[in-house]
Amino acid sequence: MILHTIIPPEQIFPGGENAAYEYQELHNSYIQGVNIDGKFTISRLISTDPRLYLDPRYAPGGQLSK
């Protein structure tokens, strides 16, 4: 199923209330994720630049080091 919407997935699919999301700024955009044991796991990219969505470094599930 593909769902095209501007509503955040947390509102559509509840159940991840326990996760403490953090935001990191990146190239005038934001990356939403969870910081666990010093590793930042990406859950969402918020950007108006389509090139960032094509960059595999910022794909959901990827990790950034702080």
Side-chain angles (χ1 to χ4, degrees), residues 1-64:
M1 173 176 80
I2 298 175
L3 183 62
H4 297 279
T5 180
I6 61 169
I7 299 172
E10 298 84 26
Q11 289 180 343
I12 298 170
F13 306 107
E17 293 89 11
N18 295 338
Y21 291 113
E22 296 180 10
Y23 293 89
Q24 289 188 0
E25 189 171 355
L26 171 78
H27 307 294
N28 297 326
S29 302
Y30 292 95
I31 296 176
Q32 176 188 16
V34 180
N35 189 7
I36 299 174
D37 297 330
K39 293 183 180 178
F40 188 78
T41 303
I42 300 170
S43 62
R44 182 167 70 164
L45 173 65
I46 305 167
S47 177
T48 56
D49 184 0
R51 291 176 292 170
L52 288 178
Y53 289 97
L54 298 174
D55 193 336
R57 294 178 293 176
Y58 310 122
Q63 293 188 351
L64 296 176

